[in-house]
């Protein structure tokens, strides 16, 4: 079993839809959770950062962590064509540990 | 604010040739620095990380090496490139738990 798993997609949705992106993980010691967005041929950029369980909202983006299920999600409301990108989840045990990345989910938002 | 630079942006090299990719960070001091490789359609593979000048940890044994000659400079090198070295190379920095990535170098080995 891989340490972090993500459905690679591609996921295609119409503009305005609510998007749900998910990751599962096997290491129960992970406490720090991140979502990165990566446009084609660009470096990943940090979207959301959460510690432990719970929800965090930033504009149209909501990150959700369920440590009991070892499952994290990123929700995008009112999706826009500019949201078309690959979304990488990432996590670590402590603030100084190495970060483990998921393989990414490719998202296309169709106008 | 912090900025991370990588160059070159793209590179096409023949098999067996040497490699040198450079990464510099501005606006912070004593960052942790990382080199990743991202193959087409695959996730990020951590190659090297450094917590200080001259301190390099290797994650994947291969024909690549890294050096950190200055606090905010990180260099990825190879003496002889292989076809399998093709990919998108990303440099990242962090102070605590969050990593910030550079624009990347796309390397094609022919």
């Amino acid at each position: 079993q891989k340490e972090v798993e993500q459905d690679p997609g591609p996921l295609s949705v119409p503009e305005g839809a609510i998007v749900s992106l998910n990751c599962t993980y096997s290491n129960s010691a992970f406490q720090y959770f991140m979502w990165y967005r990566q446009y084609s041929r660009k470096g990943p950029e940090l979207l959301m950062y959460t510690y432990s369980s719970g929800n965090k909202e930033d504009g149209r983006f909501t990150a959700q962590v369920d440590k009991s299920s070892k499952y994290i999600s990123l929700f995008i409301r009112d999706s826009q064509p500019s949201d078309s990108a690959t979304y990488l989840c990432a996590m670590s045990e402590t603030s100084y540990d190495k970060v483990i990345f998921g393989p990414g989910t490719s998202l296309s938002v169709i106008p | 604010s912090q900025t991370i630079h990588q160059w070159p942006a793209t590179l096409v090299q023949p098999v067996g040739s040497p490699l040198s990719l450079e990464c510099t960070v501005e606006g912070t001091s004593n960052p942790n620095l990382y080199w990743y490789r991202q193959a087409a359609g695959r996730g990020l593979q951590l190659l090297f990380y450094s917590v200080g000048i001259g301190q390099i940890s290797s994650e994947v044994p291969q024909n690549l090496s890294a050096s950190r000659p200055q606090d905010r400079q990180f260099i990825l090198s190879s003496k002889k490139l292989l076809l399998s070295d093709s990919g998108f190379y990303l440099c990242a920095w962090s102070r605590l738990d969050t990593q910030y990535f550079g624009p990347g170098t796309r390397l094609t080995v022919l």
Side-chain angles (χ1 to χ4, degrees):
Chain A
Q1 183 184 11
K2 292 182 180 177
E3 203 161 11
V4 179
E5 301 201 53
Q6 239 183 307
D7 185 336
L11 180 62
S12 185
V13 302
E15 183 175 354
I18 296 174
V19 177
S20 173
L21 304 168
N22 311 296
C23 280
T24 58
Y25 61 93
S26 58
N27 184 353
S28 58
F30 285 143
Q31 296 188 87
Y32 295 82
F33 303 92
M34 290 141 280
W35 284 95
Y36 287 82
R37 177 175 61 195
Q38 185 176 21
Y39 291 115
S40 180
R41 308 179 82 85
K42 302 290 186 184
E45 57 178 322
L46 181 67
L47 263 184
M48 300 286 283
Y49 164 80
T50 54
Y51 169 71
S52 195
S53 286
N55 292 0
K56 183 174 183 179
E57 188 174 322
D58 183 2
R60 296 184 295 110
F61 299 90
T62 299
Q64 196 171 77
V65 175
D66 181 351
K67 290 187 67 181
S68 62
S69 301
K70 296 182 194 157
Y71 188 89
I72 68 171
S73 300
L74 178 71
F75 298 96
I76 308 174
R77 293 186 300 280
D78 188 26
S79 57
Q80 302 295 310
S82 58
D83 295 327
S84 298
T86 296
Y87 290 80
L88 305 165
C89 63
M91 46 200 79
S92 64
E93 293 185 19
T94 70
S95 60
Y96 288 95
D97 265 331
K98 288 178 292 185
V99 176
I100 308 300
F101 288 85
T105 298
S106 174
L107 170 68
S108 291
V109 181
I110 311 301
Chain B
S1 64
Q2 298 82 18
T3 310
I4 180 168
H5 302 278
Q6 282 186 250
W7 62 89
T10 59
L11 192 59
V12 180
Q13 293 284 93
V15 169
S17 64
L19 173 73
S20 181
L21 304 181
E22 189 165 341
C23 170
T24 59
V25 182
E26 296 177 355
T28 187
S29 60
N30 197 31
N32 293 335
L33 296 172
Y34 309 82
W35 278 112
Y36 289 88
R37 178 170 59 204
Q38 187 176 37
R42 299 180 64 180
L44 294 168
Q45 179 187 29
L46 179 62
L47 302 175
F48 300 95
Y49 68 95
S50 170
V51 298
I53 295 174
Q55 300 178 64
I56 310 294
S57 295
S58 174
E59 288 295 304
V60 183
Q62 52 199 328
N63 67 319
L64 299 173
S65 62
S67 62
R68 185 170 177 173
Q70 299 181 44
D71 180 45
R72 291 170 291 173
Q73 183 184 31
F74 205 21
I75 297 172
L76 182 69
S77 304
S78 174
K79 293 182 179 177
K80 284 187 177 183
L81 284 169
L82 306 173
L83 284 174
S84 58
D85 291 324
S86 293
F88 192 43
Y89 288 81
L90 289 156
C91 180
W93 75 272
S94 73
R95 285 299 300 275
L96 292 173
D97 46 9
T98 306
Q99 294 187 16
Y100 299 91
F101 288 85
T105 294
R106 187 159 302 279
L107 171 66
T108 302
V109 183
L110 301 175

